[in-house]
Amino acid sequence: MALADTRLTEFLPLVAHHVPYCPRSTIERALRDSAIAFCESTRIWRHLITATLTSGQNVALVAPEFSVIHEIEHATHNGNDLIPLGYTDVGPDELTGQTDTGVPRYITQISPDSVAVYPFMPGTLRLSVFLKPTAGRQLYGTDPLDTMHDAYNVVPEFFLTQHGATIAAGALARLFAITNEAWSDPKLAVFYMQEFDRACASGKQRAFKGQQRAPLRTQPRWM
């Protein structure tokens, strides 16, 4: 289930006028860090995927480009539920030196954007995962009309339309906390971080209830 992307440049009108003289790249880095924190706190970015595991290929890329898996919500192999475990807890073939065959029972995260099942068997893998933007990576030069665009500075469109003020508040908290700059302001940093934390708490409740306003229930944290 792919979602339309929005560049973090679309958030600049919500932030830039508060921090004059702050470089665009610094603002966008703060926006991405804010979006990551928002995703980790609220699990707001759910992604559904169906992947085919073929013979000899026990790795499935399940995160869209420029994002990483924060948490696996649910996973099945050929309709059978999988139990999530840490990579070393699974006893993967790559570490044990033995090939475990049979119906898959476990799923584990191999890298920030991929998973594998154990024991391995070809089949159909279906997952619901919570995503977040990628941290610490940059890729310039993909847009000849905007050479300052970092391809990793993208988020789903609903981040802007539904949570733009929250993402902006988190970014401003981070920018005002930078020391020895023309825009530095520790008091405003605290103010905007409190605004961000309140919005995250509210967003977390809304995400759990869903649009149908279902009763809150304890949700398992798999990974």
Side-chain angles (χ1 to χ4, degrees), residues 9-221:
T9 51
E10 297 296 318
F11 291 77
L12 291 179
L14 301 175
V15 178
H17 65 284
H18 292 286
V19 284
Y21 311 113
C22 183
R24 169 183 162 181
S25 60
T26 302
I27 296 176
E28 291 192 8
R29 183 166 60 249
L31 284 165
R32 200 202 306 183
D33 288 343
S34 176
I36 291 171
F38 185 61
C39 289
E40 292 175 344
S41 176
T42 64
R43 301 179 187 82
I44 203 74
W45 185 2
R46 177 184 277 109
H47 179 68
L48 305 177
I49 190 170
T50 299
T52 300
L53 297 176
T54 59
S55 180
Q57 182 62 43
N58 186 24
V59 176
L61 295 174
V62 299
E65 196 173 18
F66 309 131
S67 68
V68 296
I69 302 168
H70 173 59
E71 185 177 314
I72 296 177
E73 183 180 32
H74 190 73
T76 65
H77 180 277
N78 290 345
N80 299 311
D81 288 344
L82 297 172
I83 300 171
L85 287 178
Y87 180 68
T88 56
D89 294 329
V90 170
D93 303 345
E94 294 85 353
L95 291 181
T96 63
Q98 300 176 351
T99 301
D100 190 10
T101 61
V103 176
R105 299 186 302 274
Y106 308 108
I107 186 169
T108 189
Q109 192 168 332
I110 296 294
S111 69
D113 59 0
S114 63
V115 297
V117 300
Y118 294 93
F120 172 70
M121 175 186 289
T124 301
L125 187 63
R126 290 184 171 89
L127 302 100
S128 173
V129 298
F130 295 113
L131 302 176
K132 60 185 177 181
T134 303
R137 300 189 67 181
Q138 296 176 320
L139 179 60
Y140 293 98
T142 60
D143 184 353
L145 299 179
D146 184 1
T147 57
M148 292 182 63
H149 172 60
D150 181 348
Y152 284 95
N153 284 343
V154 293
V155 293
E157 186 178 26
F158 79 91
F159 276 42
L160 178 61
T161 58
Q162 299 182 30
H163 307 287
T166 300
I167 303 300
L172 286 169
R174 288 160 174 78
L175 292 169
F176 283 127
I178 299 174
T179 59
N180 301 320
E181 297 290 353
W183 62 85
S184 301
D185 192 321
K187 291 183 179 179
L188 284 177
V190 172
F191 170 79
Y192 279 107
M193 185 54 70
Q194 290 174 340
E195 290 292 304
F196 178 75
D197 288 342
R198 278 194 289 267
C200 284
S202 177
K204 186 175 184 178
Q205 283 197 351
R206 289 198 300 272
F208 281 164
K209 288 183 179 180
Q211 293 183 350
Q212 295 77 27
R213 301 190 63 79
L216 286 174
R217 295 180 297 175
T218 301
Q219 297 290 327
R221 290 197 63 183

